[in-house]
Amino acid sequence: MVRLKLHLKGVVQGMGFRPFVYRAAKGLGLKGYVINDTAGVVVEIEGPQDNIDRFLLILKHEKPSLANIYYQEARYQEPVGYDDFEIRPSTGSERNEVVLLPDIATCKECLEELTAHSDRRFLYPFINCTNCGPRFTIIERLPYDRSNTSMKGFQMCPACQKEHNNPSDRRFHAQPNACPVCGPNISLLKDDGTTITEGQGVIEALFEKIKDGKIVAIKGIGGFHLVCDATNDSTVALLRKRKRRPDKPFAVMFRDMEQVKEYAEPTVLEESLLLLHSRPIVLVKKKDGLLDTVSPHLKSVGVFLPYSPLHYIILKGLDFPVVATSGNLSEEPIIKENDEALKRLSPISHFILLHNRPIHRRCDDSVVKVVGGYPQIIRRSRGYAPLPVMLPFRLKRRVLAVGGHQKNTFAIGFEDRIIVSQHISDMETIESMSYFEEAIDDLSSIYKFEPDVIIHDLHPGYETTRWAIKQKGIEKIAIQHHYAHILSCMAENGLNEKVIGVAWDGTGYGEDGTLWGGEFLTCDINSYERVFHFKPFRLIGGEKAVREPRRIALSILFELFNDKVMDMDIPPVRGFKEKELSLLRMAWHKGINSPLSSSAGRLFDALASFLGILQVCTYEAQAAMMIEDLFDPAVKDFYSYNIKDGEIDWVPAFHDLVLDSDKAKAPTRFINTLSRIILEVVSLIGEKRVCLSGGVFQNSPLCGIITEKLQKEGFLVYTQKLVPANDGGISLGQAFFGGMS
Ligand code: ZN
Ligand code: ZN
Ligand code: FE
């Protein structure tokens, strides 16, 4: 007879881990207990050594699929003679180390009950169990008990309570457990706020509205969606107009994989991503001629499958897929409160479907894309946040990193982990800033976290920088944007040695006050050196140039041909009047409101303008996405370029491009040129490890080709898979620096 005490840390709470331990121990006749504490799970088992060994095997191989043990400590002790095995109530303590679970898509068993006429939860939109359902969006504090969730206002009925109390039931300690008798319910409202119907009749009424081409705001798991028939062009056009989103693709939710395949062509890898517990939006090639108003001028479309029971019920009753886009205006935070939705979404939607389970914390849908054969997270939010990035070393300080300006996330780091927040939004509005502050307070209070240092971007104009500088009584450190990109890649790959960092993106503030974005750095955790970069060019009109690819093209044309540009009849020039052109030329010549930039991302804009496919863009990375679609793997040649004194001169490449008589091949030649540049420069620098980060490396052909080329030459190539390569990932890099400094 022996007694073993186990401390388990990691993803071990909130997905049926204790019932699993209970069943395993009971099955082996072991005595003792299992308990959740704020560090994880503690198990004591007493019995014959053989059975304890068997228990450890079961723990290793049969634990719930969502469980992930980061750390396990086992100690044998004197037996005390327990009489039974029990699940003990949770305890609280000072510091919360437990991993908070993300929201989990409805499981198979719950789906079967949802569609079984005889089940007491038939078509009940809030069905869940210990294996599935909301977590991050309903938890107010730890430990994860019902009284600490937004379900605390709903008293379980006797039938639900019985399931909740029975260790052999699938709903044992399922904190959001509910049924039509005791749980939340839905109602349908007109845009003026009057209720049309509640409970039973809502779904039927909803079907009618959606089939009729109406837009409905639907409250989901992490916020509101705006939903409409994805195949109804005039409704989609109306949604675009009302949401002020002329071109940016909408995500489309499909009933099931079969329906996905009617409209799109997912690869095997993409299919498996669509079915993850996190149910992300996955970018998939669409079939010709379909969903063109949903993702205009692009070959791919963002596809996802239902992840809440309400989505399943809705999609099951419609024979077409629906647009399901975040309920907000352009790039603002997603809306989560009922009254806020009535106020702010009613101008966009005809009807509003509400429910009375509060969303404690908002969380947008996540977006995943297969890049060069591997999944990359483009937006990391629902289903991923707030899982930590685990580090193979311990941080020296507790750090808060405030992230960047676009696609903001922030991060907190302590001990051996960095927790990157859910997607916040672009930081352009008051709403964004207040959500940012609210989310920092929230994550800090959950983890009882107080930073020793705050890290922010070097850009003095970023709202997040201003916020950081305002914080009193704490050390603050500014980190250069592209260095942060590379640090992010290092952190998630567990690298703490010298690397070459290729950081290519739109723009970030450089140490010399110009806008960087086509950078080759050598760096380690202490410092970096900018060793090569693209030759700077002028962004004529500053911010305006970011929205107008033709201004970048003009800047390049002035560099190449000077005054002759005025008489050229090519796409970037055509849209301007003669007078405008001469003003722009003067601005370029004198550098008036035309900052210098070495951005690689902006060169994609110039290319799109030269090809005549995009002169003015309406969403970020629009040109890059269009160029990517035009890549042809059969084309192997490339344009010329020069590398001298740490500068990569793109002038010859654009000279070739302007004279190229076969413009259809230009996108591929351009991408091939960029990959040759990377290979050549990396070889010149000559470190073994290469980190690729920045939004440009979300370009699938470029990332795929360069990874293969570098590996063939013996380099070790690291890319971003856990957090976005775009600015959504820089908080991780900032936190890594702050925690190690
Ligand atoms: Zn379930
Ligand atoms: Zn009930
Ligand atoms: Fe960036």
Side-chain angles (χ1 to χ4, degrees):
M1 185 73 104
V2 290
R3 175 164 68 114
L4 180 67
K5 186 165 187 170
L6 286 168
H7 286 269
L8 306 172
K9 294 183 187 180
V11 187
V12 288
Q13 282 188 18
M15 87 310 268
F17 195 78
R18 286 174 308 161
F20 153 75
V21 169
Y22 176 88
R23 283 192 297 273
K26 280 285 220 191
L28 291 164
L30 297 169
K31 316 277 196 233
Y33 67 89
V34 55
I35 189 170
N36 275 353
D37 69 6
T38 45
V41 167
V42 179
V43 185
E44 276 202 39
I45 37 174
E46 205 171 77
Q49 184 70 55
D50 269 6
N51 288 9
I52 289 191
D53 290 344
R54 243 173 250 145
F55 175 88
L56 292 174
L57 275 179
I58 293 175
L59 180 65
K60 189 158 185 215
H61 297 292
E62 294 172 34
K63 63 177 183 295
S65 61
L66 289 160
N68 192 353
I69 299 171
Y70 300 149
Y71 175 79
Q72 173 169 341
E73 187 188 292
R75 202 171 298 152
Y76 282 97
Q77 294 173 336
E78 279 299 303
V80 290
Y82 292 114
D83 339 315
D84 201 358
F85 193 89
E86 58 176 359
I87 298 181
R88 291 190 179 168
S90 315
T91 56
S93 79
E94 270 305 284
R95 198 172 265 188
N96 283 325
E97 285 178 59
V98 75
V99 175
L100 194 55
L101 270 196
D103 304 304
I104 309 157
T106 311
C107 74
K108 212 170 112 259
E109 286 86 356
C110 284
L111 271 186
E112 277 163 15
E113 292 170 351
L114 184 69
T115 49
H117 285 265
S118 58
D119 196 275
R120 69 191 190 92
R121 293 189 180 86
F122 176 60
L123 297 186
Y124 179 56
F126 301 91
I127 188 170
N128 68 83
C129 73
T130 36
N131 303 320
C132 74
R135 298 288 186 272
F136 184 53
T137 53
I138 61 164
I139 293 172
E140 292 171 4
R141 65 190 76 81
L142 291 171
Y144 176 50
D145 285 323
R146 189 179 182 97
S147 58
N148 290 337
T149 71
S150 68
M151 284 297 290
K152 62 175 181 253
F154 299 92
Q155 173 97 46
M156 273 186 265
C157 70
C160 286
Q161 191 69 53
K162 205 174 145 199
E163 296 166 334
H164 184 269
N165 295 351
N166 177 3
S168 54
D169 194 282
R170 199 173 90 248
R171 296 196 167 84
F172 177 70
H173 284 201
Q175 304 308 346
N177 191 23
C179 77
V181 175
C182 65
N185 226 324
I186 51 177
S187 51
L188 188 66
L189 284 75
K190 279 198 242 172
D191 56 356
D192 62 6
T194 53
T195 304
I196 300 172
T197 167
E198 288 179 327
Q200 287 287 311
V202 168
I203 296 294
E204 286 304 319
L206 177 76
F207 288 152
E208 204 180 292
K209 311 295 181 206
I210 296 180
K211 284 178 191 164
D212 194 30
K214 297 291 190 282
I215 300 165
V216 187
I218 298 180
K219 185 175 178 182
I221 297 288
F224 278 79
H225 276 136
L226 290 161
V227 170
C228 71
D229 180 354
T231 63
N232 183 330
D233 291 349
S234 56
T235 302
V236 174
L238 181 66
L239 177 60
R240 288 202 175 282
K241 196 171 142 216
R242 289 184 168 183
K243 209 183 145 152
R244 290 182 232 152
R245 184 159 150 161
D247 304 296
K248 192 176 174 187
F250 287 131
V252 182
M253 189 181 275
F254 291 81
R255 187 179 55 221
D256 49 27
M257 197 64 79
E258 210 183 317
Q259 196 185 44
V260 171
K261 289 178 183 173
E262 283 172 36
Y263 292 86
E265 298 166 2
T267 62
V268 176
L269 175 57
E270 286 161 352
E271 273 190 54
S272 71
L273 297 169
L274 284 166
L275 291 167
L276 289 172
H277 292 302
S278 50
R279 288 288 194 283
I281 295 167
V282 181
L283 300 186
V284 173
K285 186 175 180 295
K286 62 186 180 185
K287 289 192 174 170
D288 278 348
L290 293 175
L291 302 172
D292 281 344
T293 47
V294 171
S295 67
H297 317 298
L298 291 176
K299 286 189 180 156
S300 66
V301 62
V303 167
F304 62 151
L305 292 172
Y307 55 85
S308 87
L310 181 59
H311 299 144
Y312 278 99
I313 296 168
I314 295 171
L315 270 297
K316 217 174 129 36
L318 299 170
D319 51 14
F320 48 80
V322 296
V323 165
T325 184
S326 300
N328 57 7
L329 274 177
S330 55
E331 305 299 326
E332 285 183 4
I334 191 167
I335 287 169
K336 75 174 174 75
E337 301 291 345
N338 289 357
D339 50 353
E340 198 189 357
L342 278 168
K343 207 167 63 202
R344 297 175 59 96
L345 295 181
S346 55
I348 307 177
S349 64
H350 300 100
F351 299 94
I352 299 185
L353 191 155
L354 294 179
H355 62 67
N356 55 347
R357 181 176 71 197
I359 296 173
H360 180 66
R361 190 171 290 113
R362 37 191 147 192
C363 207
D364 285 74
D365 294 315
S366 295
V367 182
V368 172
K369 176 187 175 188
V370 175
V371 176
Y374 295 93
Q376 273 195 19
I377 300 184
I378 306 289
R379 181 166 72 198
R380 184 181 179 277
S381 215
R382 179 187 49 76
Y384 296 91
L387 289 177
V389 174
M390 298 302 292
L391 304 168
F393 21 75
R394 289 186 83 76
L395 298 176
K396 295 176 195 152
R397 294 202 280 180
R398 296 161 73 81
V399 53
L400 166 66
V402 299
H405 185 72
Q406 280 183 316
K407 304 178 168 67
N408 179 270
T409 63
F410 64 88
I412 60 173
F414 51 91
E415 290 163 22
D416 56 353
R417 66 197 61 189
I418 295 170
I419 297 171
V420 177
S421 75
Q422 69 272 38
H423 168 76
I424 303 295
S425 68
D426 289 353
M427 305 307 288
E428 312 273 338
T429 60
I430 295 167
E431 283 81 7
S432 307
M433 228 29 226
S434 64
Y435 177 27
F436 169 81
E437 288 187 312
E438 162 198 316
I440 289 179
D441 284 348
D442 170 50
L443 211 56
S444 305
S445 89
I446 280 231
Y447 286 99
K448 300 189 168 112
F449 172 86
E450 259 186 62
D452 303 319
V453 58
I454 297 179
I455 312 294
H456 59 84
D457 196 90
L458 190 62
H459 200 309
Y462 279 5
E463 289 301 329
T464 51
T465 300
R466 293 205 187 108
W467 182 89
I469 288 170
K470 271 197 309 216
Q471 306 309 304
K472 296 266 181 309
I474 182 162
E475 185 187 351
K476 275 103 44 180
I477 305 175
I479 291 294
Q480 201 280 327
H481 189 94
H482 301 94
Y483 181 32
H485 271 303
I486 300 307
L487 286 163
S488 175
C489 187
M490 289 166 68
E492 74 158 78
N493 288 292
L495 294 172
N496 192 12
E497 47 260 284
K498 196 169 180 189
V499 302
I500 298 174
V502 188
W504 285 10
D505 66 357
T507 46
Y509 195 80
E511 307 275 0
D512 57 1
T514 70
L515 297 167
W516 295 3
E519 312 307 310
F520 290 84
L521 315 174
T522 51
C523 36
D524 58 24
I525 186 64
N526 301 311
S527 63
Y528 77 97
E529 203 184 324
R530 185 192 197 204
V531 280
F532 286 88
H533 58 85
F534 277 100
K535 177 178 173 168
F537 48 91
R538 292 211 177 274
L539 306 178
I540 308 174
E543 271 304 303
K544 247 187 168 164
V546 175
R547 289 192 299 273
E548 294 186 23
R550 57 185 183 170
R551 286 168 181 259
I552 314 285
L554 267 190
S555 173
I556 284 170
L557 281 170
F558 289 139
E559 181 93 28
L560 281 168
F561 305 107
N562 217 328
D563 326 345
K564 292 194 204 99
V565 176
M566 317 301 280
D567 305 316
M568 290 174 97
D569 182 29
I570 55 172
V573 183
R574 263 174 224 149
F576 290 109
K577 296 194 186 79
E578 213 181 297
K579 200 165 166 208
E580 284 175 309
L581 272 182
S582 51
L583 281 174
L584 290 169
R585 195 185 158 277
M586 193 162 74
W588 173 82
H589 192 71
K590 299 195 169 156
I592 302 161
N593 188 25
S594 299
L596 286 168
S597 173
S598 56
S599 163
R602 296 280 90 86
L603 293 178
F604 279 85
D605 290 358
L607 174 62
S609 172
F610 280 119
L611 297 178
I613 57 175
L614 187 72
Q615 303 304 346
V616 177
C617 52
T618 64
Y619 61 92
E620 209 248 343
Q622 189 175 3
M625 287 169 78
M626 294 171 83
I627 298 292
E628 179 173 348
D629 277 350
L630 299 172
F631 182 81
D632 173 3
V635 178
K636 298 290 177 201
D637 51 352
F638 53 91
Y639 297 135
S640 16
Y641 55 89
N642 277 319
I643 298 171
K644 211 179 115 192
D645 301 332
E647 212 168 78
I648 301 139
D649 186 359
W650 40 262
V651 171
F654 279 93
H655 194 265
D656 288 356
L657 168 72
V658 173
L659 301 178
D660 195 340
S661 57
D662 192 355
K663 289 278 192 292
K665 293 191 172 132
T668 314
R669 287 175 173 148
F670 180 75
I671 288 171
N672 290 346
T673 311
L674 295 180
S675 68
R676 289 190 69 93
I677 290 172
I678 295 177
L679 182 66
E680 196 171 322
V681 174
V682 163
S683 305
L684 282 172
I685 302 171
E687 286 287 336
K688 198 171 173 56
R689 293 179 173 78
V690 184
C691 289
L692 308 175
S693 189
V696 170
F697 291 104
Q698 288 170 181
N699 180 303
S700 181
L702 177 64
C703 193
I705 294 172
I706 192 55
T707 303
E708 199 189 311
K709 276 188 188 225
L710 288 169
Q711 283 171 342
K712 217 184 254 172
E713 297 298 317
F715 292 100
L716 298 172
V717 183
Y718 302 89
T719 55
Q720 306 228 253
K721 304 206 167 62
L722 300 182
V723 302
N726 61 43
D727 286 5
I730 73 169
S731 63
L732 173 64
Q734 293 173 341
F736 183 40
F737 182 89
M740 296 297 276
S741 65

